[in-house]
Amino acid sequence: MEDAQLLLCGVLVLLVSHSLANVNGDSDVSTSSSSGSGTKTYIVYMDPSSMPAAHPSPAHWHAAHLQSLYIDPARSLLYSYSSAAHGFAAALLPHHLPLLRGSPGVLQVVPDTLFQLHTTRTPEFLGLLSPAYQPAIHNLDAASHDVVIGVLDTGIWPDSPSLADGDLPPPPAHWKGVCEAGVDFPPSSCGRKLVGARSFSRGFRAATAGRGRMGAGRRSARDRDGHGTHTATTAAGAAVANASLFGYATGTARGMAPGARVAAYKVCWPEGCLGSDILAGIDAAVADGVGVLSLSLGGGAAPYFRDTVAVGAFGATAAGVFVACSAGNSGPSGATVANSAPWVATVGAGTLDRDFPSYVTLTTGARLAGVSLYAGPAQSARPVMLPLVYGDSHDNASKLCLSGTLDPASVRGKIVLCDRGVNARVEKGAVVKAAGGAGMVLANTAASGEELVADSHLLPAVAVGKLTGDKIRDYAARGGKPMAMLSFGGTILGVRPSPVVAAFSSRGPNTVVPDVLKPDMIGPGVNILAGWTGVAGPTGLAKDGRRTRFNIISGTSMSCPHISGVAALLKAAHPNWSPAAIKSALMTTSYIVDNTNSSLRDAAGSLPATPFAFGAGHVNPQKALSPGLVYDISTNDYVVFLCSLDYSETHIRVITKMSNISCPRKSRPGDLNYPSFSVVFKKKPKHVMRYRRELTNVGPAMSVYNVKVSSPASVSVTVTPSKLLFKKVGQKQRYYVTFESKASPSHAKPDFGWISWVGNEHVVRSPVAYTWKM
């Protein structure tokens, strides 16, 4: 799929070779000259109960274990994990694998995998700046000083004004993180806002050994990409007045939790993010004392015991850390959602009520609307009509404006119509400019529908939806001398309808465990303004020499840190809440109507969206602070859930780090105390499923809730009891739900409904997805 700034997911086993100077540092490691030796990087999960008492630390044990198998740890050992997971990463030869797999204490050996990376207006859009909310937010700003948000990404640009210390007090006493010195990154780069920065590249360097070594200048936490600075400042950036991208989206930029601290863990590089580096980053973040982890990256669907992020996130969650991950940018296709573990908050993307209008005017008099962030000379000059060209009718590559497909003689001085897809949107603009084109119209195809994503192109360019694109395509195909004119309208607010689910946002159902509904929720992820690196232009292209302190980009990478920042506010307001309780509050208070009071719509087809696209709905921070009731989940509850998946005891131990696993005789994944339901019926007459849930009162004592059920005609739903009385704060009450399929055996389309508990002050709503399988 296309769109470099809607960064996608993939999995790849990589060849590696290296030597190791020490296990805990990163800067001392150099790649081995024997890069052709056939080694590969593996993550080896160990049973902590097998560690002999003679070893002073897990790292010492891991090195000794390799030595006992005649594997040189100085050349093989990359990382030792002990906080979020138990085990190590090592470069191994093929004959090492049976030795390790057959040795005592080793639970699992899995190949390293490659993952990919998936504002001024958003605080106001989310209600964080409403006058009625200001007293509460002021108190939360102070309370959030004790919350550190760990961001695993491409690093950090510490000079960003969004990372200024301001009047913040010293870092919290529990913080154990460090500011790791590196090239162009002295320890003084950190302060009271950016309280920690580390770089993890051993896995990456091992993977690329012999194929162009990492330059020494890249070995630091400094962000040379921009993605990491953008996500970090979205989550917790300090307020910066008069922020904009070349005049677009002008206003005060601030993160969701501007009082929270930021710790950057650089685990991603231009080529991607290695699982061994990611796990090292999570492991360090947990040991450092972060309260929230934000990961705007993802890989392919895999069982949780083979998913590095899922394993690391479990350890973090068990330590009380809230973990948010992006859902991925593989929409609008179904069954594409990434990061689907139930202990992770999986975040999809929606639009804001802000837009950047631009227009394509044809000689017919039609003035067709699109979006653009172009800010070059032609923006202020008087627009003129220019010839319009649209590829070769027999060459789809030229219609996509792929590199090398445009004939300069045909496009010089003209506006080129390009179909969206395959290569990055900004790369298409660069291709047109290199061929001598004067402008570009970027037209969506069916895959992106009416979703409009603005870019700061290198030449005048307007992005249009599919319907408008079809009109321009028809006009260009009529023959004669088609002409077009491009014009740009700046920034507008109050766009209706909004939010709309982004077409690129990955969708359910969950292919790993269909009984868990994913994504969990959506947040703002389209055209988001936040901090940027000082060494890359807004397009991220090497040929883009422009520089800006802020950039506007899109993706579930952008929606994820919105949720991370809001979670930090909830953690500050309710320091004793578990990560599951925080996620429950975010989900059950989310909204499912837009600013026209209509059901949330899907940008892919302009039809009503479903919980497979938006989960529980769009996050509502104000209501999440006081949800009334929460669905809490303990570590043991997750263990029972893993038992219900028929995972082996060894696989459960890999995920949980527990030495002794006791599974109940009978358990079902649907009984996990999750804030949503995913009911998978068999295609047989009147199939019945019965689930249980438990609610905890975090509202006032003597609260009464009555159930309200909304169900499709294909399902009958009965909730027992239908009324819950909570006499005191913290009291727990169970209820049971019976779902009976009324659908015919040929029924194939998913259906959806809601189960809500309605009190005097709160509505606690859970989405329900229904699917049928053979």
Side-chain angles (χ1 to χ4, degrees):
M1 190 181 168
E2 48 95 53
D3 293 355
Q5 291 180 322
L6 307 182
L7 299 151
L8 308 183
C9 305
V11 175
L12 177 66
V13 177
L14 295 160
L15 295 175
V16 302
S17 178
H18 57 88
S19 63
L20 178 64
N22 69 72
V23 174
N24 298 316
D26 200 36
S27 58
D28 295 332
V29 181
S30 61
T31 55
S32 168
S33 59
S34 59
S35 57
S37 60
T39 60
K40 293 183 180 180
T41 296
Y42 291 84
I43 297 175
V44 182
Y45 293 99
M46 303 289 286
D47 179 1
S49 67
S50 298
M51 186 176 87
H55 295 298
S57 68
H60 188 276
W61 175 42
H62 299 155
H65 192 87
L66 287 171
Q67 190 72 53
S68 71
L69 299 173
Y70 301 99
I71 302 171
D72 183 4
R75 295 180 60 82
S76 297
L77 188 59
L78 282 167
Y79 294 112
S80 179
Y81 310 119
S82 59
S83 294
H86 278 304
F88 58 88
L92 304 170
L93 291 165
H95 74 272
H96 293 155
L97 300 182
L99 294 175
L100 275 165
R101 286 175 172 145
S103 64
V106 173
L107 296 176
Q108 179 175 260
V109 181
V110 296
D112 201 0
T113 52
L114 181 73
F115 295 77
Q116 293 291 348
L117 295 169
H118 280 145
T119 87
T120 58
R121 182 64 183 163
T122 40
E124 184 174 352
F125 181 69
L126 293 176
L128 292 175
L129 301 184
S130 65
Y133 188 56
Q134 283 310 292
I137 197 67
H138 178 75
N139 293 333
L140 281 180
D141 273 345
S144 64
H145 294 169
D146 285 339
V147 181
V148 180
I149 302 176
V151 182
L152 273 69
D153 214 294
T154 64
I156 197 76
W157 190 257
D159 316 292
S160 169
S162 297
L163 297 171
D165 290 341
D167 58 357
L168 284 171
H174 73 267
W175 178 243
K176 300 180 180 65
V178 299
C179 199
E180 183 182 277
V183 176
D184 199 22
F185 204 97
S188 59
S189 299
C190 300
R192 296 187 173 190
K193 182 63 173 178
L194 177 63
V195 295
R198 296 175 183 257
S199 174
F200 299 89
S201 63
R202 291 178 188 170
F204 172 77
R205 279 186 273 157
T208 56
R211 291 186 282 124
R213 296 189 180 193
M214 172 189 284
R218 296 170 67 182
R219 297 182 189 177
S220 89
R222 185 166 286 275
D223 180 14
R224 300 184 178 278
D225 177 275
H227 191 277
T229 302
H230 197 281
T231 55
T233 56
T234 297
V240 180
N242 299 316
S244 74
L245 171 63
F246 303 138
Y248 285 101
T250 300
T252 298
R254 56 169 59 81
M256 297 300 98
R261 319 304 180 112
V262 173
Y265 299 85
K266 186 173 183 177
V267 299
C268 296
W269 309 88
E271 297 81 356
C273 326
L274 267 296
S276 55
D277 295 333
I278 294 170
L279 191 55
I282 297 174
D283 203 61
V286 173
D288 288 345
V290 302
V292 175
L293 273 176
S294 188
L295 291 85
S296 291
L297 51 84
Y304 299 137
F305 56 83
R306 294 185 68 88
D307 183 338
T308 308
V309 171
V311 172
F314 188 99
T317 301
V321 179
F322 179 91
V323 183
C325 294
S326 49
N329 301 323
S330 298
S333 300
T336 53
V337 65
N339 297 313
S340 64
W343 46 87
V344 166
T346 309
V347 188
T351 63
L352 290 173
D353 64 342
R354 178 181 64 197
D355 216 342
F356 310 102
S358 56
Y359 304 94
V360 182
T361 303
L362 308 178
T363 54
T364 60
R367 188 172 187 252
L368 306 172
V371 297
S372 181
L373 293 171
Y374 176 70
Q379 184 184 25
S380 57
R382 183 176 180 180
V384 295
M385 284 284 183
L386 293 173
L388 175 70
V389 295
Y390 179 44
D392 186 329
S393 59
H394 302 293
D395 180 13
N396 284 333
S398 65
K399 292 182 177 180
L400 288 164
C401 299
L402 303 182
S403 180
T405 63
L406 298 182
D407 178 9
S410 301
V411 306
R412 187 173 291 113
K414 300 175 182 177
I415 294 173
V416 182
L417 176 61
C418 300
D419 289 341
R420 183 174 169 181
V422 182
N423 59 336
R425 302 184 308 274
V426 292
E427 180 63 29
K428 294 175 189 290
V431 169
V432 172
K433 183 177 182 180
M440 177 180 70
V441 176
L442 179 59
N444 283 3
T445 59
S448 299
E450 298 310 302
E451 170 188 77
L452 295 179
V453 179
D455 295 296
S456 183
H457 287 280
L458 294 171
L459 80 172
V462 175
V464 298
K466 179 184 181 297
L467 295 178
T468 297
D470 287 344
K471 293 177 182 178
I472 301 173
R473 293 182 187 99
D474 291 343
Y475 170 75
R478 291 177 192 169
K481 296 182 178 180
M483 307 277 285
M485 178 175 69
L486 308 183
S487 55
F488 306 91
T491 304
I492 61 171
L493 304 177
V495 173
R496 296 160 68 90
S498 64
V500 174
V501 179
F504 62 74
S505 188
S506 290
R507 315 300 168 93
N510 180 350
T511 58
V512 181
V513 181
D515 308 82
V516 175
L517 179 60
K518 290 285 180 170
D520 291 312
M521 69 201 87
I522 63 171
V526 178
N527 299 333
I528 303 302
L529 181 79
W532 196 244
T533 179
V535 293
T539 63
L541 299 173
K543 62 193 74 175
D544 189 351
R546 299 171 297 172
R547 295 295 180 262
T548 176
R549 298 191 305 172
F550 297 88
N551 197 11
I552 295 173
I553 56 177
S554 300
T556 55
S557 280
M558 282 64 255
S559 54
C560 173
H562 280 90
I563 302 305
S564 305
V566 175
L569 293 178
L570 266 66
K571 197 170 187 70
H574 307 286
N576 295 323
W577 281 12
S578 69
I582 292 174
K583 182 166 71 169
S584 173
L586 292 169
M587 290 175 64
T588 62
T589 60
S590 293
Y591 59 86
I592 55 174
V593 295
D594 60 30
N595 58 1
T596 70
N597 207 33
S598 301
S599 297
L600 292 179
R601 304 189 76 78
D602 194 325
S606 297
L607 297 173
T610 73
F612 279 164
F614 58 68
H618 191 287
V619 66
N620 186 334
Q622 292 187 54
K623 288 191 175 181
L625 283 167
S626 177
L629 306 172
V630 295
Y631 294 87
D632 208 355
I633 305 175
S634 69
T635 301
N636 285 335
D637 292 334
Y638 287 126
V639 173
V640 173
F641 166 78
L642 293 171
C643 291
S644 74
L645 303 181
D646 292 328
Y647 286 178
S648 69
E649 182 180 340
T650 296
H651 289 153
I652 296 174
R653 290 163 71 189
V654 164
I655 298 169
T656 64
K657 302 187 298 178
M658 295 180 177
S659 298
N660 298 307
I661 302 297
S662 178
C663 287
R665 285 191 303 172
K666 206 171 188 182
S667 59
R668 296 176 303 174
D671 276 334
L672 180 68
N673 199 41
Y674 214 64
S676 60
F677 295 83
S678 180
V679 183
V680 183
F681 288 116
K682 293 181 179 178
K683 288 189 174 181
K684 63 180 184 180
K686 297 193 174 185
H687 184 211
V688 175
M689 301 288 287
R690 191 167 188 255
Y691 292 152
R692 70 172 182 270
R693 290 290 190 271
E694 183 178 78
L695 286 162
T696 302
N697 181 31
V698 295
M702 299 307 297
S703 294
V704 178
Y705 288 84
N706 293 286
V707 75
K708 179 181 178 182
V709 176
S710 172
S711 61
S714 57
V715 180
S716 171
V717 181
T718 304
V719 179
T720 306
S722 60
K723 181 178 181 178
L724 297 175
L725 168 62
F726 295 89
K727 295 182 179 180
K728 58 185 179 179
V729 178
Q731 183 179 352
K732 299 178 184 293
Q733 293 272 26
R734 279 192 176 183
Y735 70 93
Y736 298 84
V737 190
T738 302
F739 302 100
E740 181 178 352
S741 172
K742 293 184 174 181
S744 66
S746 61
H747 189 92
K749 182 178 74 69
D751 278 326
F752 304 92
W754 302 89
I755 294 175
S756 303
W757 289 96
V758 182
N760 290 333
E761 301 178 25
H762 305 94
V763 176
V764 184
R765 184 178 57 244
S766 296
V768 188
Y770 303 98
T771 53
W772 285 260
K773 69 174 185 178
M774 297 303 292

